[in-house]
């Protein structure tokens, strides 16, 4: 991993450790700092992803077949929107039990999947929300973020089921000891292992399998370690190829 990604994970981990201590002034300060850092990440995505859909992602998803599955660690929804625009994805293809979906300015019930493809986002997504009051899972389809930054400050909608404003992003933050028990997330890891276990070809684009990503290493070892399959690694760094070779053999 790059030095910048390491520093981000280290800072989040330090804040997370402080935030989980018994309630005191440093605990409150750490929680506030952690939330502010998450807001900065979301705002960065919001500003950098403004504009039309990425043409590179559009060309990539045109090659996908309905029997393919995409496993992603990215918070952003570049590939999501490319699949949506190519009529290969709607809310059901995420495999998350959403209660309501925000689409074209209004809320609606989830529909049937538009294709057999699966988009499995193992660290969550910027267009997924969880209501802390009624436990509803919500999806903003085709939106790069549910937040409105027009006022200069991020504001979220209320829950369409209970009208609560206690909404939180369904994201696994970049900390060393990641917690994968967020609503809907354990099922996604099970689905990822099932898809990898039956895949005859695995294409890895951009993901370097960092040494601190223990859960993902276990995933690849369990699903790919004891069988024959084809693998393509799209990464200029030879150490990434060697890392996968050491696990998937």
């Amino acid at each position: 991993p790059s030095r910048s990604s390491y520093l981000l994970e280290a800072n989040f981990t330090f804040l997370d450790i402080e935030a989980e201590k018994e309630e005191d002034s440093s605990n409150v300060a750490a929680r506030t700092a952690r939330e502010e850092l998450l807001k900065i990440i979301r705002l960065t995505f919001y500003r950098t992803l403004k504009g039309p859909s990425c043409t590179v992602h559009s060309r990539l998803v045109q090659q996908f077949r309905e029997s393919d599955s995409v496993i992603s660690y990215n918070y952003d929804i570049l590939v999501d929107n490319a699949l949506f625009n190519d009529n290969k994805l709607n809310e059901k293809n995420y495999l998350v039990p959403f209660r309501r979906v925000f689409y074209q300015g209004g809320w609606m019930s989830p529909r049937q999947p538009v294709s057999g493809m699966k988009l499995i986002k193992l660290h969550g997504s910027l267009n997924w929300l969880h209501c802390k009051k009624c436990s509803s899972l919500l999806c903003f389809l085709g939106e790069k973020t549910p937040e409105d930054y027009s006022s200069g400050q991020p504001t979220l909608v209320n829950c369409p089921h209970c009208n609560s404003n206690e909404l939180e992003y369904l994201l696994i933050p970049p900390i060393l000891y990641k917690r994968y028990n967020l609503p809907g997330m354990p099922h996604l890891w099970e689905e990822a292992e099932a898809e990898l276990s039956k895949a005859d070809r695995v294409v890895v684009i951009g993901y370097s399998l960092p040494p601190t990503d223990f859960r993902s290493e276990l995933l690849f070892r369990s699903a790919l370690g004891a069988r024959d399959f084809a693998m393509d690694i799209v990464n200029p760094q030879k150490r990434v190829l060697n890392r996968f070779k050491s696990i998937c053999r």
Side-chain angles (χ1 to χ4, degrees), residues 12-104:
F12 256 111
T13 301
F14 293 142
L15 289 172
D16 197 64
I17 292 171
E18 286 294 323
E20 297 307 315
K21 289 181 178 179
E22 292 185 10
E23 195 76 28
D24 59 24
S25 58
S26 64
N27 169 286
V28 174
R31 290 186 180 181
T32 301
R34 182 176 60 183
E35 289 305 310
E36 290 301 317
L37 191 51
L38 282 170
K39 285 182 182 178
I40 291 172
I41 291 175
R42 297 198 300 267
L43 178 58
T44 301
F45 276 115
Y46 173 79
R47 290 183 173 174
T48 57
L49 298 179
K50 289 179 70 174
S53 299
C54 175
T55 57
V56 175
H57 284 81
S58 298
R59 292 197 300 271
L60 175 65
V61 303
Q62 288 173 5
Q63 312 302 315
F64 292 167
R65 301 168 299 178
E66 283 214 3
S67 58
D68 291 334
S69 294
V70 178
I71 298 173
S72 174
Y73 293 91
N74 293 342
Y75 297 148
D76 68 66
I77 60 170
L78 289 173
V79 72
D80 314 39
N81 282 349
L83 286 167
F84 176 75
N85 293 334
D86 205 39
N87 199 35
K88 292 176 179 172
L89 175 137
N90 70 7
E91 62 278 2
K92 280 290 188 178
N93 299 92
Y94 284 123
L95 309 183
V96 175
F98 295 116
R99 177 172 252 166
R100 301 287 284 171
V101 179
F102 190 86
Y103 178 55
Q104 293 185 340

Side-chain angles (χ1 to χ4, degrees), residues 2-14:
S2 67
R3 176 171 173 77
S4 60
S5 62
Y6 168 76
L7 289 174
L8 180 63
E9 184 176 61
N11 287 330
F12 256 111
T13 301
F14 293 142

Side-chain angles (χ1 to χ4, degrees), residues 4-229:
S4 60
S5 62
Y6 168 76
L7 289 174
L8 180 63
E9 184 176 61
N11 287 330
F12 256 111
T13 301
F14 293 142
L15 289 172
D16 197 64
I17 292 171
E18 286 294 323
E20 297 307 315
K21 289 181 178 179
E22 292 185 10
E23 195 76 28
D24 59 24
S25 58
S26 64
N27 169 286
V28 174
R31 290 186 180 181
T32 301
R34 182 176 60 183
E35 289 305 310
E36 290 301 317
L37 191 51
L38 282 170
K39 285 182 182 178
I40 291 172
I41 291 175
R42 297 198 300 267
L43 178 58
T44 301
F45 276 115
Y46 173 79
R47 290 183 173 174
T48 57
L49 298 179
K50 289 179 70 174
S53 299
C54 175
T55 57
V56 175
H57 284 81
S58 298
R59 292 197 300 271
L60 175 65
V61 303
Q62 288 173 5
Q63 312 302 315
F64 292 167
R65 301 168 299 178
E66 283 214 3
S67 58
D68 291 334
S69 294
V70 178
I71 298 173
S72 174
Y73 293 91
N74 293 342
Y75 297 148
D76 68 66
I77 60 170
L78 289 173
V79 72
D80 314 39
N81 282 349
L83 286 167
F84 176 75
N85 293 334
D86 205 39
N87 199 35
K88 292 176 179 172
L89 175 137
N90 70 7
E91 62 278 2
K92 280 290 188 178
N93 299 92
Y94 284 123
L95 309 183
V96 175
F98 295 116
R99 177 172 252 166
R100 301 287 284 171
V101 179
F102 190 86
Y103 178 55
Q104 293 185 340
W107 290 102
M108 64 182 188
S109 298
R111 301 160 294 179
Q112 292 301 311
V114 293
S115 76
M117 282 202 66
K118 298 176 181 179
L119 176 55
I120 306 171
K121 305 190 76 170
L122 296 180
H123 286 171
S125 185
L126 277 171
N127 62 332
W128 300 353
L129 293 174
H130 170 245
C131 178
K132 291 188 284 186
K133 184 176 180 180
C134 71
S135 299
S136 293
L137 298 181
L138 311 172
C139 176
F140 278 64
L141 193 62
E143 302 285 341
K144 294 181 179 179
T145 173
E147 289 178 305
D148 178 11
Y149 289 89
S150 58
S151 65
Q153 293 293 328
T155 56
L156 281 173
V157 298
N158 287 358
C159 174
H161 183 70
C162 69
N163 202 38
S164 167
N165 62 358
E166 298 181 54
L167 298 180
E168 61 182 356
Y169 280 85
L170 199 56
L171 298 173
I172 296 176
I175 58 177
L176 181 58
Y177 300 107
K178 298 176 177 66
R179 290 183 286 272
Y180 297 101
N181 59 348
L182 297 178
M185 300 306 295
H187 171 67
L188 295 185
W189 283 83
E190 294 171 2
E191 286 285 348
E193 182 169 355
E195 291 301 306
L196 286 170
S197 296
K198 65 184 182 183
D200 53 21
R201 182 183 182 190
V202 177
V203 181
V204 181
I205 303 176
Y207 180 59
S208 61
L209 190 56
T212 57
D213 207 343
F214 307 113
R215 183 66 181 83
S216 293
E217 179 174 338
L218 180 61
L219 170 67
F220 283 106
R221 287 187 183 275
S222 300
L224 301 174
R227 66 185 188 85
D228 293 329
F229 62 95

